[in-house]
Coordinates of all heavy atoms in Angstrom, one line a residue:
M9 N 0.8 -1.2 0.0 CA 0.0 0.0 0.0 C 0.8 1.3 0.0 O 0.4 2.3 -0.5 CB -1.0 0.0 1.2 CG -1.9 -1.1 1.2 SD -3.0 -1.2 -0.3 CE -3.9 0.3 -0.4
E10 N 2.1 1.2 0.5 CA 3.0 2.3 0.6 C 3.2 2.8 -0.9 O 3.1 4.1 -1.1 CB 4.3 1.9 1.2 CG 5.1 3.1 1.5 CD 6.4 2.5 2.3 OE1 6.3 1.9 3.3 OE2 7.6 2.8 1.8
R11 N 3.5 2.0 -1.8 CA 3.7 2.6 -3.3 C 2.4 3.2 -3.8 O 2.5 4.1 -4.5 CB 4.1 1.5 -4.1 CG 5.6 1.0 -3.9 CD 6.2 0.3 -4.9 NE 6.2 1.0 -6.2 CZ 6.4 0.4 -7.5 NH1 6.5 -0.9 -7.5 NH2 6.4 1.1 -8.5
I12 N 1.3 2.6 -3.4 CA 0.0 3.1 -3.9 C -0.2 4.6 -3.2 O -0.6 5.5 -4.0 CB -1.2 2.2 -3.6 CG1 -1.0 1.0 -4.5 CG2 -2.5 2.9 -3.8 CD1 -2.0 -0.1 -4.2
Q13 N 0.1 4.7 -2.0 CA -0.1 5.9 -1.3 C 0.8 7.0 -1.9 O 0.5 8.1 -2.0 CB 0.3 5.7 0.2 CG -0.9 5.0 0.9 CD -0.4 4.5 2.3 OE1 0.8 4.5 2.6 NE2 -1.4 4.1 3.2
E14 N 2.1 6.5 -2.3 CA 3.0 7.5 -2.9 C 2.5 8.0 -4.2 O 2.6 9.2 -4.5 CB 4.3 6.8 -3.1 CG 5.1 6.6 -1.9 CD 6.4 5.7 -2.2 OE1 6.7 5.4 -3.3 OE2 7.1 5.3 -1.2
R15 N 1.8 7.1 -5.0 CA 1.3 7.5 -6.3 C 0.1 8.3 -6.1 O -0.1 9.3 -6.9 CB 0.9 6.3 -7.1 CG 2.1 5.6 -7.7 CD 1.8 4.7 -8.8 NE 1.2 5.3 -9.9 CZ 0.7 4.5 -10.9 NH1 0.8 3.2 -10.9 NH2 0.0 5.2 -11.9
I16 N -0.7 8.2 -5.1 CA -1.9 9.0 -4.8 C -1.3 10.3 -4.4 O -1.9 11.4 -4.8 CB -2.8 8.3 -3.8 CG1 -3.5 7.1 -4.4 CG2 -3.9 9.4 -3.3 CD1 -4.3 6.2 -3.5
A17 N -0.4 10.3 -3.5 CA 0.2 11.7 -3.0 C 0.8 12.5 -4.1 O 0.7 13.7 -4.1 CB 1.2 11.4 -1.9
S18 N 1.4 11.8 -5.1 CA 2.0 12.5 -6.2 C 1.0 13.1 -7.2 O 1.3 13.8 -8.1 CB 3.0 11.6 -6.9 OG 2.4 10.7 -7.7
G19 N -0.2 12.5 -7.1 CA -1.3 12.9 -8.1 C -1.3 12.1 -9.3 O -2.2 12.3 -10.2
S20 N -0.5 11.1 -9.5 CA -0.5 10.2 -10.7 C -1.7 9.2 -10.6 O -1.9 8.5 -11.6 CB 0.8 9.6 -10.8 OG 1.1 8.7 -9.8
L21 N -2.3 9.1 -9.4 CA -3.4 8.1 -9.4 C -4.3 8.7 -8.2 O -4.0 9.3 -7.3 CB -2.8 6.8 -8.8 CG -3.8 5.5 -8.7 CD1 -4.3 5.2 -10.1 CD2 -3.0 4.4 -8.0
T22 N -5.6 8.4 -8.4 CA -6.5 8.7 -7.4 C -7.2 7.5 -6.8 O -7.2 6.4 -7.5 CB -7.7 9.6 -8.0 OG1 -8.5 8.9 -8.9 CG2 -7.2 10.9 -8.6
V23 N -7.7 7.6 -5.6 CA -8.3 6.5 -5.0 C -9.6 6.1 -5.8 O -9.8 4.9 -6.1 CB -8.9 6.7 -3.5 CG1 -9.7 5.7 -2.9 CG2 -7.6 7.1 -2.7
R24 N -10.2 7.0 -6.4 CA -11.5 6.7 -7.2 C -11.1 5.9 -8.4 O -11.7 5.0 -8.8 CB -12.1 8.0 -7.5 CG -13.5 7.8 -8.3 CD -14.1 9.2 -8.5 NE -15.5 9.0 -8.7 CZ -16.3 10.0 -9.0 NH1 -15.9 11.3 -8.9 NH2 -17.6 9.7 -9.3
R25 N -10.0 6.4 -9.1 CA -9.6 5.7 -10.3 C -9.0 4.2 -10.0 O -9.4 3.3 -10.7 CB -8.5 6.5 -11.0 CG -7.8 5.8 -12.2 CD -7.8 6.8 -13.4 NE -7.1 6.1 -14.5 CZ -7.7 5.4 -15.4 NH1 -8.9 5.2 -15.4 NH2 -6.9 4.8 -16.4
L26 N -8.3 4.1 -8.9 CA -7.8 2.8 -8.6 C -8.9 1.9 -8.2 O -9.0 0.7 -8.6 CB -6.9 2.9 -7.4 CG -6.3 1.6 -6.9 CD1 -5.6 0.8 -8.0 CD2 -5.4 1.8 -5.7
A27 N -10.0 2.4 -7.6 CA -11.1 1.6 -7.1 C -11.8 1.1 -8.6 O -12.2 -0.1 -8.6 CB -12.1 2.4 -6.4
K28 N -12.0 2.0 -9.4 CA -12.7 1.6 -10.7 C -11.8 0.6 -11.5 O -12.3 -0.3 -11.9 CB -12.9 2.8 -11.5 CG -13.6 2.6 -12.8 CD -14.0 3.8 -13.5 CE -14.7 3.5 -14.7 NZ -15.1 4.8 -15.5
L29 N -10.5 0.8 -11.5 CA -9.7 -0.1 -12.3 C -9.6 -1.5 -11.7 O -9.6 -2.5 -12.3 CB -8.2 0.4 -12.3 CG -8.0 1.6 -13.2 CD1 -6.6 2.1 -12.9 CD2 -8.2 1.2 -14.6
A30 N -9.8 -1.6 -10.3 CA -9.6 -2.8 -9.6 C -11.0 -3.4 -9.3 O -11.1 -4.5 -8.6 CB -8.9 -2.7 -8.3
D31 N -12.0 -2.7 -9.7 CA -13.5 -3.2 -9.6 C -13.7 -3.4 -8.1 O -14.2 -4.5 -7.7 CB -13.7 -4.5 -10.4 CG -15.2 -4.9 -10.5 OD1 -16.0 -3.9 -10.4 OD2 -15.6 -6.0 -10.6
V32 N -13.4 -2.4 -7.3 CA -13.6 -2.3 -5.8 C -14.4 -1.0 -5.6 O -14.2 -0.1 -6.2 CB -12.3 -2.4 -5.0 CG1 -12.5 -2.3 -3.5 CG2 -11.5 -3.7 -5.5
S33 N -15.2 -1.1 -4.6 CA -16.0 0.1 -4.3 C -15.0 1.2 -3.8 O -14.0 0.9 -3.2 CB -17.1 -0.1 -3.2 OG -16.4 -0.3 -1.9
Q34 N -15.3 2.5 -4.1 CA -14.4 3.6 -3.7 C -14.3 3.8 -2.2 O -13.3 3.9 -1.7 CB -15.0 4.9 -4.4 CG -14.1 6.1 -4.2 CD -14.3 6.9 -3.0 OE1 -15.3 6.9 -2.4 NE2 -13.2 7.5 -2.4
P35 N -15.4 3.6 -1.4 CA -15.3 3.6 0.0 C -14.3 2.4 0.6 O -13.6 2.8 1.5 CB -16.6 3.5 0.6 CG -17.5 3.9 -0.6 CD -16.8 3.5 -1.8
H36 N -14.4 1.4 0.0 CA -13.6 0.2 0.5 C -12.1 0.5 0.1 O -11.3 0.3 0.9 CB -14.0 -1.1 -0.2 CG -13.3 -2.2 0.3 ND1 -13.3 -2.7 1.6 CD2 -12.3 -3.0 -0.3 CE1 -12.5 -3.9 1.8 NE2 -11.9 -4.0 0.6
M37 N -11.9 1.0 -1.1 CA -10.5 1.4 -1.4 C -9.9 2.6 -0.6 O -8.7 2.5 -0.2 CB -10.4 1.8 -2.9 CG -9.0 2.1 -3.5 SD -7.9 0.6 -3.4 CE -8.7 -0.4 -4.6
Q38 N -10.8 3.4 -0.3 CA -10.4 4.5 0.6 C -9.9 4.0 1.9 O -9.0 4.4 2.5 CB -11.6 5.5 0.8 CG -11.2 6.8 1.6 CD -10.5 7.8 0.7 OE1 -10.5 7.7 -0.5 NE2 -9.7 8.6 1.3
N39 N -10.7 3.1 2.5 CA -10.4 2.5 3.7 C -9.1 1.6 3.6 O -8.2 1.8 4.6 CB -11.5 1.6 4.3 CG -12.7 2.3 4.8 OD1 -12.6 3.4 5.2 ND2 -13.8 1.8 4.7
L40 N -8.7 1.0 2.6 CA -7.6 0.2 2.4 C -6.4 1.2 2.4 O -5.4 0.9 3.0 CB -7.6 -0.6 1.0 CG -8.5 -1.8 1.1 CD1 -8.7 -2.4 -0.3 CD2 -8.2 -2.8 2.1
V41 N -6.5 2.3 1.5 CA -5.4 3.2 1.4 C -5.0 3.9 2.7 O -3.8 4.0 3.0 CB -5.8 4.3 0.3 CG1 -4.7 5.4 0.3 CG2 -5.8 3.5 -1.1
H42 N -6.0 4.2 3.6 CA -5.7 4.8 4.8 C -5.6 3.9 6.0 O -5.5 4.3 7.1 CB -6.8 5.8 5.0 CG -6.9 7.0 4.0 ND1 -5.9 7.9 4.0 CD2 -7.7 7.2 3.0 CE1 -6.2 8.7 3.0 NE2 -7.3 8.3 2.4
G43 N -5.5 2.6 5.6 CA -5.2 1.6 6.7 C -6.3 1.3 7.7 O -6.0 0.6 8.7
K44 N -7.5 1.6 7.3 CA -8.6 1.2 8.1 C -9.1 -0.2 7.9 O -9.8 -0.7 8.8 CB -9.8 2.2 7.9 CG -9.4 3.6 8.4 CD -10.6 4.6 8.1 CE -10.2 6.1 8.5 NZ -11.3 7.0 8.0
R45 N -8.7 -0.7 6.8 CA -9.1 -2.1 6.5 C -7.9 -2.7 6.0 O -7.0 -2.2 5.4 CB -10.2 -2.2 5.4 CG -11.5 -1.5 5.9 CD -12.8 -2.1 5.4 NE -12.9 -3.5 5.8 CZ -13.9 -4.1 5.3 NH1 -14.8 -3.5 4.6 NH2 -14.0 -5.4 5.6
R46 N -7.8 -4.1 6.1 CA -6.6 -4.9 5.6 C -6.9 -5.3 4.2 O -8.0 -5.7 3.8 CB -6.4 -6.1 6.6 CG -6.0 -5.8 7.9 CD -5.6 -7.0 8.6 NE -4.9 -6.5 9.9 CZ -3.9 -7.1 10.3 NH1 -3.4 -8.2 9.7 NH2 -3.2 -6.7 11.4
L47 N -5.8 -5.3 3.5 CA -5.8 -5.8 2.1 C -5.8 -7.3 2.0 O -5.0 -8.0 2.6 CB -4.6 -5.4 1.3 CG -4.5 -5.5 0.0 CD1 -5.5 -4.7 -0.8 CD2 -3.1 -5.1 -0.5
T48 N -6.9 -7.8 1.4 CA -7.1 -9.4 1.2 C -6.3 -9.7 0.0 O -6.0 -8.9 -0.9 CB -8.6 -9.7 1.0 OG1 -9.0 -9.1 -0.2 CG2 -9.3 -9.3 2.2
P49 N -5.9 -11.0 -0.1 CA -5.2 -11.5 -1.3 C -5.9 -11.2 -2.5 O -5.4 -10.9 -3.6 CB -4.9 -13.0 -1.1 CG -5.0 -13.1 0.5 CD -6.0 -12.0 1.0
E50 N -7.3 -11.3 -2.5 CA -8.1 -11.3 -3.6 C -8.1 -9.8 -4.1 O -7.9 -9.6 -5.4 CB -9.6 -11.7 -3.4 CG -9.7 -13.2 -3.1 CD -9.5 -13.5 -1.7 OE1 -9.3 -12.7 -0.7 OE2 -9.2 -14.7 -1.4
V51 N -8.2 -8.8 -3.3 CA -8.1 -7.5 -3.7 C -6.8 -7.0 -4.1 O -6.6 -6.4 -5.0 CB -8.7 -6.6 -2.5 CG1 -8.6 -5.1 -2.9 CG2 -10.2 -6.9 -2.2
A52 N -5.7 -7.6 -3.4 CA -4.4 -7.3 -3.9 C -4.1 -7.8 -5.3 O -3.5 -7.1 -6.0 CB -3.4 -8.0 -2.9
D53 N -4.6 -9.0 -5.6 CA -4.4 -9.4 -7.0 C -5.2 -8.5 -8.0 O -4.6 -8.3 -9.1 CB -5.1 -10.8 -7.1 CG -4.3 -11.9 -6.5 OD1 -3.0 -11.6 -6.3 OD2 -4.7 -13.0 -6.2
R54 N -6.3 -8.0 -7.6 CA -7.0 -7.0 -8.4 C -6.2 -5.7 -8.7 O -6.2 -5.1 -9.7 CB -8.4 -6.7 -7.9 CG -9.4 -7.9 -8.1 CD -10.8 -7.3 -7.4 NE -11.6 -8.4 -7.3 CZ -12.9 -8.2 -7.0 NH1 -13.3 -6.9 -6.6 NH2 -13.8 -9.2 -6.8
V55 N -5.7 -5.2 -7.6 CA -4.9 -4.0 -7.7 C -3.7 -4.2 -8.4 O -3.3 -3.4 -9.3 CB -4.6 -3.5 -6.2 CG1 -3.6 -2.3 -6.3 CG2 -5.9 -3.1 -5.5
L56 N -3.0 -5.3 -8.3 CA -1.8 -5.6 -9.0 C -2.2 -5.7 -10.6 O -1.4 -5.1 -11.3 CB -1.0 -6.9 -8.6 CG -0.4 -6.9 -7.2 CD1 0.1 -8.2 -6.9 CD2 0.8 -5.8 -7.2
A57 N -3.2 -6.4 -10.9 CA -3.5 -6.5 -12.2 C -4.0 -5.1 -12.8 O -3.6 -4.7 -13.9 CB -4.7 -7.5 -12.3
A58 N -4.7 -4.3 -12.0 CA -5.1 -3.0 -12.5 C -4.0 -2.1 -12.7 O -4.0 -1.3 -13.7 CB -6.1 -2.4 -11.4
L59 N -3.0 -2.2 -12.0 CA -1.8 -1.3 -12.1 C -0.7 -1.9 -13.0 O 0.3 -1.3 -13.2 CB -1.2 -1.0 -10.8 CG -2.1 -0.2 -9.8 CD1 -1.4 0.0 -8.4 CD2 -2.4 1.2 -10.4
E60 N -0.9 -3.1 -13.5 CA 0.0 -3.9 -14.3 C 1.4 -4.1 -13.5 O 2.4 -3.8 -14.1 CB 0.1 -3.3 -15.7 CG -1.1 -3.2 -16.4 CD -1.0 -2.6 -17.8 OE1 0.1 -2.0 -18.1 OE2 -1.9 -2.7 -18.6
W61 N 1.2 -4.4 -12.3 CA 2.5 -4.6 -11.5 C 2.6 -6.1 -11.1 O 1.5 -6.9 -11.1 CB 2.3 -4.0 -10.2 CG 2.3 -2.6 -10.1 CD1 2.7 -1.7 -11.1 CD2 2.3 -1.5 -9.0 NE1 2.8 -0.4 -10.8 CE2 2.5 -0.3 -9.5 CE3 1.9 -1.8 -7.7 CZ2 2.3 0.9 -8.7 CZ3 1.8 -0.7 -6.9 CH2 2.0 0.6 -7.4
S62 N 3.8 -6.6 -10.9 CA 4.0 -7.9 -10.4 C 4.3 -7.9 -8.9 O 4.5 -6.7 -8.4 CB 5.1 -8.6 -11.2 OG 6.4 -8.0 -10.8
L63 N 4.4 -9.0 -8.3 CA 4.9 -9.0 -6.9 C 6.2 -8.3 -6.7 O 6.5 -7.6 -5.7 CB 4.9 -10.4 -6.3 CG 3.6 -11.1 -6.1 CD1 3.6 -12.5 -5.6 CD2 2.8 -10.2 -5.1
L64 N 7.1 -8.5 -7.7 CA 8.4 -7.9 -7.6 C 8.4 -6.3 -7.6 O 9.2 -5.7 -7.0 CB 9.4 -8.4 -8.7 CG 9.7 -9.8 -8.6 CD1 10.6 -10.2 -9.9 CD2 10.6 -10.1 -7.3
D65 N 7.4 -5.8 -8.1 CA 7.2 -4.3 -8.2 C 6.9 -3.8 -6.8 O 7.1 -2.5 -6.5 CB 6.1 -3.9 -9.2 CG 6.4 -4.1 -10.6 OD1 7.5 -3.8 -11.0 OD2 5.5 -4.6 -11.3
L66 N 6.5 -4.6 -5.9 CA 6.1 -4.1 -4.6 C 7.3 -4.0 -3.7 O 7.3 -3.4 -2.6 CB 5.0 -5.0 -4.0 CG 3.8 -5.2 -4.7 CD1 2.8 -6.1 -4.1 CD2 3.2 -3.8 -4.9
A67 N 8.4 -4.7 -4.0 CA 9.6 -4.7 -3.1 C 10.6 -3.7 -3.6 O 10.7 -3.5 -4.8 CB 10.3 -6.1 -3.3
S68 N 11.2 -3.1 -2.7 CA 12.3 -2.1 -2.9 C 13.6 -2.8 -3.3 O 13.7 -4.1 -3.0 CB 12.5 -1.2 -1.8 OG 13.1 -1.9 -0.7
A69 N 14.5 -2.2 -3.8 CA 15.8 -2.8 -4.1 C 16.5 -3.4 -3.0 O 17.0 -4.4 -2.9 CB 16.7 -1.7 -4.9
N70 N 16.3 -2.6 -1.9 CA 17.0 -2.9 -0.5 C 16.3 -4.3 -0.1 O 17.0 -5.2 0.4 CB 16.9 -1.8 0.5 CG 17.8 -0.8 0.2 OD1 18.7 -0.9 -0.4 ND2 17.4 0.4 0.8
E71 N 15.0 -4.4 -0.2 CA 14.3 -5.5 0.4 C 14.7 -6.8 -0.6 O 14.9 -7.8 0.0 CB 12.8 -5.4 0.2 CG 12.3 -4.3 1.3 CD 10.8 -4.1 1.1 OE1 10.4 -4.0 -0.1 OE2 10.1 -3.8 2.1
L72 N 14.8 -6.5 -1.8 CA 15.2 -7.7 -2.7 C 16.7 -8.1 -2.4 O 17.0 -9.4 -2.4 CB 15.1 -7.2 -4.2 CG 13.6 -7.1 -4.7 CD1 13.6 -6.6 -6.1 CD2 12.9 -8.3 -4.6
G73 N 17.5 -7.1 -2.1 CA 18.9 -7.4 -1.8 C 19.1 -8.2 -0.6 O 19.8 -9.3 -0.4
E74 N 18.3 -7.8 0.4 CA 18.3 -8.5 1.7 C 17.8 -9.9 1.6 O 18.3 -10.9 2.1 CB 17.4 -7.7 2.7 CG 18.1 -6.4 3.3 CD 17.1 -5.7 4.2 OE1 16.2 -6.3 4.6 OE2 17.5 -4.5 4.5
A75 N 16.7 -10.1 0.8 CA 16.2 -11.4 0.6 C 17.2 -12.4 -0.1 O 17.3 -13.5 0.2 CB 14.9 -11.3 -0.3
M76 N 17.9 -11.7 -1.1 CA 18.9 -12.5 -1.8 C 20.0 -13.0 -0.8 O 20.5 -14.1 -0.8 CB 19.5 -11.8 -2.9 CG 18.6 -11.7 -4.1 SD 18.2 -13.2 -4.8 CE 19.8 -13.8 -5.4
E77 N 20.5 -12.0 0.0 CA 21.5 -12.3 0.9 C 21.0 -13.4 1.9 O 21.8 -14.4 2.2 CB 21.8 -11.1 1.8 CG 22.8 -10.1 1.0 CD 23.0 -8.8 1.7 OE1 22.6 -8.7 3.0 OE2 23.5 -7.9 1.0
N78 N 19.8 -13.3 2.4 CA 19.2 -14.4 3.4 C 19.2 -15.8 2.7 O 19.6 -16.8 3.2 CB 17.9 -14.0 3.8 CG 17.9 -12.7 4.8 OD1 19.0 -12.5 5.4 ND2 16.8 -12.1 4.9
L79 N 18.8 -15.7 1.4 CA 18.7 -17.0 0.6 C 20.1 -17.6 0.4 O 20.3 -18.7 0.6 CB 18.1 -16.7 -0.8 CG 17.9 -17.8 -1.6 CD1 17.0 -18.9 -0.9 CD2 17.3 -17.4 -3.0
M80 N 21.0 -16.8 0.1 CA 22.4 -17.2 -0.1 C 23.0 -17.8 1.2 O 23.7 -18.8 1.2 CB 23.2 -16.1 -0.6 CG 23.0 -15.8 -2.1 SD 24.1 -14.6 -2.9 CE 24.1 -13.2 -1.8
A81 N 22.7 -17.2 2.3 CA 23.3 -17.6 3.6 C 22.7 -19.0 4.0 O 23.4 -19.8 4.5 CB 23.0 -16.6 4.7
Q82 N 21.4 -19.2 3.6 CA 20.8 -20.4 4.0 C 21.1 -21.5 3.1 O 21.2 -22.8 3.5 CB 19.2 -20.2 4.0 CG 18.6 -19.3 5.0 CD 17.2 -19.0 4.8 OE1 16.5 -19.6 4.0 NE2 16.7 -18.1 5.7
A83 N 21.4 -21.3 1.8 CA 21.6 -22.3 0.8 C 23.0 -22.4 0.5 O 23.4 -23.2 -0.5 CB 20.7 -22.0 -0.4
H84 N 23.9 -21.7 1.0 CA 25.3 -21.7 0.8 C 25.6 -21.4 -0.7 O 26.2 -22.0 -1.4 CB 25.9 -23.1 1.1 CG 25.7 -23.4 2.6 ND1 26.3 -22.7 3.5 CD2 24.9 -24.3 3.2 CE1 25.9 -23.1 4.7 NE2 25.1 -24.1 4.5
L85 N 24.8 -20.4 -1.3 CA 25.0 -20.0 -2.6 C 25.9 -18.8 -2.7 O 26.1 -18.1 -1.7 CB 23.6 -19.7 -3.2 CG 22.6 -20.8 -3.3 CD1 21.3 -20.3 -3.8 CD2 23.1 -21.9 -4.1
R86 N 26.3 -18.5 -3.9 CA 27.2 -17.4 -4.0 C 26.6 -16.5 -5.1 O 26.2 -17.0 -6.1 CB 28.6 -17.7 -4.5 CG 29.5 -16.6 -4.6 CD 31.0 -17.2 -4.8 NE 31.0 -18.0 -6.0 CZ 31.7 -17.7 -7.1 NH1 32.3 -16.6 -7.1 NH2 31.7 -18.5 -8.1
Y87 N 26.4 -15.1 -4.9 CA 25.9 -14.3 -5.8 C 26.8 -14.0 -7.0 O 27.9 -13.6 -6.7 CB 25.5 -12.9 -5.2 CG 24.8 -11.9 -6.2 CD1 23.6 -12.0 -6.8 CD2 25.7 -10.8 -6.4 CE1 23.2 -11.1 -7.6 CE2 25.2 -9.8 -7.2 CZ 23.9 -9.9 -7.9 OH 23.6 -9.0 -8.8
V88 N 26.5 -14.1 -8.2 CA 27.3 -13.7 -9.3 C 26.5 -12.6 -10.1 O 25.5 -12.9 -10.7 CB 27.6 -15.0 -10.2 CG1 28.4 -14.6 -11.4 CG2 28.1 -16.1 -9.5
P89 N 27.1 -11.5 -10.1 CA 26.3 -10.3 -10.9 C 26.3 -10.5 -12.4 O 27.1 -11.2 -13.0 CB 27.1 -9.1 -10.6 CG 28.4 -9.6 -9.9 CD 28.3 -11.0 -9.5

């Protein structure tokens, strides 16, 4: 939701437009964006599809780097750029 909030704050997306794209009611989307309701997997899938995002689009470069480091430490792998 953080990336969505950033897009809404920048003006590149509105809650109303996102609700329409994701086929979710505008009040429900408003509650999701403002943290009054939790995002369900079903609605998350709709939002990702509406924004044409993958799960990787939700992670920051730092988060992906940390995940790779953790994976390498557990599996005794070596990162090759």
Side-chain angles (χ1 to χ4, degrees):
M9 293 308 296
E10 191 174 303
R11 285 199 58 203
I12 291 170
Q13 291 168 341
E14 289 171 4
R15 289 199 51 192
I16 290 169
S18 73
S20 66
L21 183 67
T22 64
V23 173
R24 186 178 198 175
R25 175 135 173 85
L26 179 57
K28 184 176 182 177
L29 290 171
D31 194 28
V32 175
S33 74
Q34 189 271 333
H36 184 68
M37 185 61 69
Q38 188 78 22
N39 287 332
L40 291 171
V41 169
H42 293 292
K44 294 179 182 175
R45 301 212 55 183
R46 288 186 171 222
L47 187 64
T48 64
E50 294 81 14
V51 174
D53 286 343
R54 288 183 190 182
V55 170
L56 289 174
L59 296 175
E60 297 179 353
W61 288 355
S62 73
L63 286 176
L64 291 176
D65 292 318
L66 300 180
S68 69
N70 288 339
E71 290 170 328
L72 291 174
E74 288 175 15
M76 287 297 295
E77 287 175 5
N78 290 339
L79 180 64
M80 288 187 306
Q82 292 173 6
H84 304 290
L85 301 175
R86 187 170 57 108
Y87 174 71
V88 179

